[in-house]
Coordinates of all heavy atoms in Angstrom, one line a residue:
A968 N -1.3 -2.9 -5.4 CA -1.3 -3.1 -3.9 C 0.0 -2.6 -3.3 O 0.1 -2.2 -2.1 CB -1.3 -4.6 -3.6
G969 N 1.0 -2.3 -4.2 CA 2.3 -1.7 -3.7 C 3.5 -2.5 -4.0 O 3.5 -3.7 -4.1
T970 N 4.6 -1.7 -4.4 CA 5.8 -2.4 -4.6 C 6.9 -1.6 -3.7 O 6.9 -0.4 -3.7 CB 6.2 -2.2 -6.0 OG1 5.2 -2.8 -6.9 CG2 7.6 -2.9 -6.4
S971 N 7.7 -2.3 -3.0 CA 8.6 -1.7 -2.1 C 9.7 -0.9 -2.7 O 10.2 -1.2 -3.8 CB 9.3 -2.8 -1.1 OG 8.3 -3.3 -0.2
F972 N 10.1 0.2 -2.0 CA 11.2 1.1 -2.4 C 12.4 0.9 -1.4 O 13.4 1.4 -1.7 CB 10.8 2.5 -2.4 CG 9.7 2.8 -3.4 CD1 8.5 3.3 -2.9 CD2 9.8 2.7 -4.7 CE1 7.5 3.6 -3.8 CE2 8.8 2.9 -5.6 CZ 7.7 3.4 -5.1
G973 N 12.1 0.3 -0.3 CA 13.2 0.2 0.7 C 12.7 0.5 2.1 O 12.7 -0.4 2.9
W974 N 12.2 1.7 2.3 CA 11.6 2.0 3.7 C 10.3 1.1 3.9 O 10.1 0.8 5.1 CB 11.2 3.5 3.6 CG 10.8 4.1 5.0 CD1 11.6 4.5 5.9 CD2 9.5 4.3 5.4 NE1 10.9 5.0 7.0 CE2 9.7 4.9 6.7 CE3 8.3 4.2 4.9 CZ2 8.6 5.3 7.5 CZ3 7.2 4.6 5.7 CH2 7.3 5.2 6.9
T975 N 9.7 0.7 2.9 CA 8.5 -0.1 3.1 C 8.8 -1.6 3.1 O 7.8 -2.4 3.3 CB 7.4 0.3 2.1 OG1 8.0 0.1 0.8 CG2 7.0 1.7 2.2
S976 N 9.9 -2.0 2.8 CA 10.2 -3.4 2.5 C 10.0 -4.3 3.7 O 10.6 -4.1 4.7 CB 11.6 -3.5 2.0 OG 11.9 -4.9 1.6
G977 N 9.3 -5.3 3.5 CA 9.2 -6.4 4.5 C 8.2 -6.1 5.7 O 7.8 -7.1 6.3
W978 N 7.5 -5.0 5.7 CA 6.6 -4.8 6.7 C 5.3 -4.0 6.4 O 4.3 -4.1 7.0 CB 7.3 -4.0 8.0 CG 7.6 -2.6 7.6 CD1 8.8 -2.2 7.0 CD2 6.8 -1.4 7.8 NE1 8.8 -0.9 6.8 CE2 7.6 -0.3 7.3 CE3 5.6 -1.2 8.4 CZ2 7.3 1.0 7.3 CZ3 5.2 0.1 8.3 CH2 6.0 1.2 7.9
F979 N 5.3 -3.3 5.3 CA 4.2 -2.5 4.9 C 3.2 -3.3 4.0 O 3.6 -4.1 3.1 CB 4.7 -1.3 4.1 CG 3.6 -0.1 4.0 CD1 3.5 0.9 4.9 CD2 2.7 -0.2 3.0 CE1 2.5 1.8 4.7 CE2 1.7 0.7 2.8 CZ 1.6 1.7 3.7
G980 N 1.9 -3.2 4.4 CA 1.0 -4.0 3.5 C 0.5 -3.2 2.4 O 1.2 -2.5 1.7
V981 N -0.8 -3.3 2.1 CA -1.4 -2.7 0.8 C -1.4 -1.2 1.1 O -1.8 -0.7 2.1 CB -2.8 -3.2 0.6 CG1 -3.5 -2.6 -0.5 CG2 -2.7 -4.7 0.4
I982 N -0.9 -0.5 0.0 CA -0.7 1.0 0.1 C -2.1 1.6 -0.3 O -3.1 1.1 -0.6 CB 0.3 1.4 -0.9 CG1 0.0 1.2 -2.4 CG2 1.7 0.8 -0.5 CD1 0.9 1.8 -3.4
Y983 N -2.1 3.0 -0.1 CA -3.2 3.8 -0.5 C -3.0 4.2 -1.9 O -2.0 4.6 -2.4 CB -3.2 5.1 0.4 CG -4.5 5.9 0.4 CD1 -5.6 5.6 1.2 CD2 -4.6 6.9 -0.7 CE1 -6.7 6.3 1.0 CE2 -5.7 7.5 -0.8 CZ -6.8 7.2 0.1 OH -8.1 8.0 0.0
P984 N -4.2 4.2 -2.8 CA -5.6 4.0 -2.3 C -6.0 2.6 -2.6 O -7.2 2.3 -2.5 CB -6.3 5.0 -3.2 CG -5.5 4.9 -4.6 CD -4.0 4.8 -4.1
A985 N -5.2 1.7 -2.8 CA -5.5 0.3 -3.2 C -6.3 -0.4 -2.0 O -7.2 -1.3 -2.2 CB -4.3 -0.6 -3.6
Y986 N -6.1 0.1 -0.7 CA -6.9 -0.7 0.3 C -8.3 -0.2 0.6 O -9.0 -0.8 1.4 CB -6.0 -0.5 1.6 CG -5.9 0.8 2.2 CD1 -6.9 1.5 2.8 CD2 -4.5 1.4 2.4 CE1 -6.7 2.7 3.5 CE2 -4.3 2.6 3.1 CZ -5.4 3.2 3.6 OH -5.3 4.4 4.2
I987 N -8.7 0.8 -0.1 CA -10.0 1.3 0.1 C -11.0 0.4 -0.6 O -10.7 -0.2 -1.6 CB -10.3 2.9 -0.2 CG1 -10.2 3.1 -1.7 CG2 -9.3 3.7 0.5 CD1 -10.5 4.5 -2.1
S988 N -12.3 0.4 -0.1 CA -13.3 -0.6 -0.5 C -13.7 -0.4 -2.0 O -14.1 -1.4 -2.6 CB -14.5 -0.5 0.3 OG -15.1 0.6 0.4
Q989 N -13.7 0.8 -2.5 CA -14.1 0.9 -3.9 C -13.1 0.5 -4.9 O -13.4 0.5 -6.2 CB -14.4 2.4 -4.1 CG -15.7 3.0 -3.4 CD -15.2 3.3 -1.9 OE1 -14.0 3.2 -1.5 NE2 -16.2 3.6 -1.2
V990 N -12.0 0.0 -4.6 CA -10.8 -0.3 -5.4 C -10.6 -1.8 -5.3 O -10.7 -2.4 -4.3 CB -9.6 0.5 -5.0 CG1 -8.3 -0.1 -5.6 CG2 -9.8 1.9 -5.4
N991 N -10.2 -2.4 -6.4 CA -9.7 -3.7 -6.5 C -8.2 -3.8 -6.5 O -7.6 -3.3 -7.4 CB -10.2 -4.5 -7.8 CG -11.7 -4.7 -7.7 OD1 -12.3 -5.4 -7.0 ND2 -12.3 -3.9 -8.6
A992 N -7.6 -4.2 -5.4 CA -6.2 -4.2 -5.2 C -5.6 -5.4 -5.9 O -6.0 -6.6 -5.7 CB -5.9 -4.1 -3.7

C-alpha cells in the first residue's frame, strides 16, 4: 500500500499500483 519517504508522509494514501482493483493492497 506504500511506505513514506518524506514527500509523501502524512497525506498520501495507497500508492500505485496497489490501489487498482485487480490487486490486494
Side-chain angles (χ1 to χ4, degrees):
T970 304
S971 287
F972 299 117
W974 191 78
T975 58
S976 183
W978 66 274
F979 194 93
V981 175
I982 64 172
Y983 192 89
Y986 67 64
I987 69 176
S988 61
Q989 293 81 9
V990 164
N991 295 287

